[in-house]
Amino acid sequence: MLSPPLSHTLAAASRVVARVLGGASLTAVLDEDARGASRPAVQDLAYGTLRDYGAPEAMLAMLARKPIPDRAVRALLLCALHALRHERRAPHTVVDEAVTACAELGHAAARGFVNALLRNFLRRREALEAEARGSEAACFGYPAWWIARVRRAHPEAWEAALAAGNTRPAMTLRVNRRKLSVAAYLAKLAALGIDARRVGVVAVRLSQPRGVDALPGFAEGEVSVQDAGAQLAAPLLDVRSGMRVLDACAAPGGKSVHLLELADLDLLALDHDAERAPRIGATLERVGLAAQVRVADAGDPNRWWDGKPFDRVLLDVPCSASGVVRRHPDIKWLRREADLDGFAREQSRLLAALWQVLVPGGKLLYATCSVFPEENGAVIDAFLARRDDARRLLPPGLGDGQLLPDDEHDGFFYALLEKR
């Protein structure tokens, strides 16, 4: 299959980036605007541009000297600057194809401006790159407030955590031990020439990502795609067959399925999002497991709880998603510092509400995919200060519960609470 022309990829990626910078979700925009054979190339360029956004944005400001009013043309220039800085194509080819892309975007009148600006970048590249490095946002690829908070929270590891968030994410699978062993699945992969290695109890990391349709046994439920850090959640709850378990913010269902792979449970999977909740059922069906699925606000038990307490509760709360930005680079530029207070309030509301549905002696796992303490330890400390019937358990190997993103996993926080 022939690759799409670079001009088409630049134009399509520019539309995506323009919508994202206008406030839309990158994943949703790609699903709407980048379908068919061209999607891999468009997705790669859009993701790369948004991961790299700080530096091209700084250099674009130097080159244009005044704001570029048209969002599509600005996005095209950002995509082209990213391509010039990171792709292996000849620079003149990228410039020529970006000029061609102007017409595809409906902005033929901008061709001269785009051509002149990109050629000016090539002439001044070394000086522009040096000047951009003077800006932390350009150097690290995050907003200044984000950098400051991560530095303050993790003074010994902040640079490594930020750098990890700018890498391409690994593809990690979770092997369903109800169906086969990790060794048996690795043998299946090896027989197909797929290089992989074990990175956890049931975690297998592929050396190169690939579509799930190309994975042996995926359709049959032998494996699921799940980051190695996210795979820690279900085992931490220490579930046993016969227990009544609540997965309170369950969509798309990966953690619910993992819990059911560990034991025969009476499991209720809740999610407030009526559009995402059906994915829980689809995930369960693929793996061949069953649970009750309901659409409801977990923070309002009066509307869904039957009064029978749960032995275990998994509370994977809505959060800033600051630990998974390599998978969702748009988050870095759409999130605002003030959002953290709103997340913390919602997290505290959910935690307080779900504590009442937990049986005495039961356990609740509070989980986020955040690296910000305001959503993690601060929420837990405040909760424990208000409750004399709660204590925090410290599972071996988890330290304070904060996992920062690295080569093996994304960023997560876990706090295991026991009800006295």
Side-chain angles (χ1 to χ4, degrees):
M1 183 180 295
L2 294 175
S3 299
L6 179 56
S7 61
H8 172 79
T9 301
L10 282 164
S14 298
R15 294 188 190 97
V16 170
V17 170
R19 288 188 59 190
V20 168
L21 295 179
S25 158
L26 175 56
T27 301
V29 173
L30 283 168
D31 287 343
E32 294 169 10
D33 292 357
R35 299 175 180 175
S38 64
R39 170 152 182 166
V42 173
Q43 178 171 307
D44 190 60
L45 181 55
Y47 267 72
T49 299
L50 290 166
R51 283 195 190 102
D52 190 39
Y53 175 78
E57 170 67 4
M59 287 184 274
L60 188 57
M62 298 175 213
L63 289 161
R65 297 182 182 174
K66 61 182 181 180
I68 300 169
D70 189 274
R71 186 179 290 167
V73 173
R74 179 170 173 268
L76 173 61
L77 287 165
L78 290 169
C79 291
L81 286 169
H82 172 76
L84 285 169
R85 297 176 71 238
H86 295 285
E87 294 212 1
R88 297 178 181 178
R89 300 174 191 264
H92 71 272
T93 299
V94 175
V95 174
D96 291 346
E97 294 293 311
V99 171
T100 301
C102 290
E104 294 189 42
L105 286 171
H107 290 279
R111 286 179 296 190
F113 172 67
V114 167
N115 182 61
L117 188 142
L118 294 178
R119 292 189 183 281
N120 192 14
F121 165 76
L122 293 175
R123 286 191 297 270
R124 299 171 53 197
R125 177 172 180 171
E126 187 174 336
L128 290 166
E129 295 275 8
E131 188 172 347
R133 285 193 291 271
S135 158
E136 284 198 328
C139 185
F140 292 105
Y142 294 81
W145 69 265
W146 189 304
I147 297 168
R149 280 185 175 268
V150 175
R151 181 194 284 121
R152 185 165 61 248
H154 311 289
E156 303 300 321
W158 67 277
E159 288 185 274
L162 293 176
N166 284 329
T167 60
R168 291 173 180 263
M171 185 172 185
T172 305
L173 310 178
R174 185 188 72 245
V175 177
N176 181 357
R177 290 195 297 185
R178 283 181 177 257
K179 293 182 178 286
L180 77 172
S181 68
V182 174
Y185 191 72
L186 285 170
K188 278 193 170 190
L189 293 175
L192 294 173
I194 300 174
D195 185 47
R197 61 186 176 90
R198 187 173 189 161
V199 294
V201 176
V202 290
V204 170
R205 179 175 176 175
L206 304 183
S207 60
Q208 294 292 331
R210 60 189 59 229
V212 293
D213 292 341
L215 295 175
F218 180 83
E220 294 75 26
E222 292 182 353
V223 291
S224 298
V225 179
Q226 188 181 41
D227 181 79
Q231 292 187 35
L232 298 176
L236 283 171
L237 272 174
D238 184 31
V239 293
R240 297 185 295 277
S241 291
M243 283 185 168
R244 192 164 196 247
V245 178
L246 170 66
D247 186 355
C249 303
K255 293 184 178 69
S256 290
V257 166
H258 194 186
L259 286 164
L260 291 165
E261 290 173 357
L262 294 174
D264 296 320
L265 306 171
D266 175 11
L267 188 140
L268 171 61
L270 285 184
D271 204 273
H272 77 284
D273 191 332
E275 293 186 0
R276 297 184 74 225
R279 296 175 62 188
I280 305 170
T283 302
L284 290 164
E285 183 178 0
R286 179 181 62 82
V287 181
L289 295 168
Q292 183 184 2
V293 179
R294 292 190 61 180
V295 177
D297 174 10
D300 189 5
N302 290 331
R303 293 185 174 272
W304 56 264
W305 186 39
D306 61 7
K308 183 179 178 181
F310 291 91
D311 301 295
R312 299 287 189 268
V313 174
L314 173 57
L315 177 54
D316 188 358
V317 292
C319 70
S320 65
S322 50
V324 294
V325 291
R326 59 181 159 200
R327 300 183 191 278
H328 305 283
D330 51 322
I331 289 171
K332 295 190 293 183
W333 310 108
L334 298 181
R335 198 69 75 216
R336 297 293 177 263
E337 188 171 15
D339 295 342
L340 299 185
D341 288 340
F343 281 122
R345 285 192 298 272
E346 176 66 2
Q347 291 151 1
S348 297
R349 181 185 77 92
L350 289 167
L351 181 54
L354 293 176
W355 195 248
Q356 65 184 298
V357 310
L358 184 65
V359 69
K363 297 176 183 178
L364 180 150
L365 181 66
Y366 177 91
T368 78
C369 53
S370 173
V371 300
F372 296 131
E374 293 81 2
E375 304 178 90
N376 298 337
V379 171
I380 296 302
D381 290 345
F383 176 76
L384 292 174
R386 295 192 301 268
R387 305 288 315 197
D388 59 9
D389 61 347
R391 71 181 182 117
R392 185 174 179 184
L393 305 177
L394 298 174
L398 259 190
D400 64 356
Q402 180 70 70
L403 298 179
L404 294 176
D406 61 19
D407 290 342
E408 298 297 335
H409 54 70
D410 291 333
F412 295 93
F413 175 80
Y414 294 115
L416 184 62
L417 307 178
E418 184 178 58
K419 193 170 189 178
R420 299 179 195 270

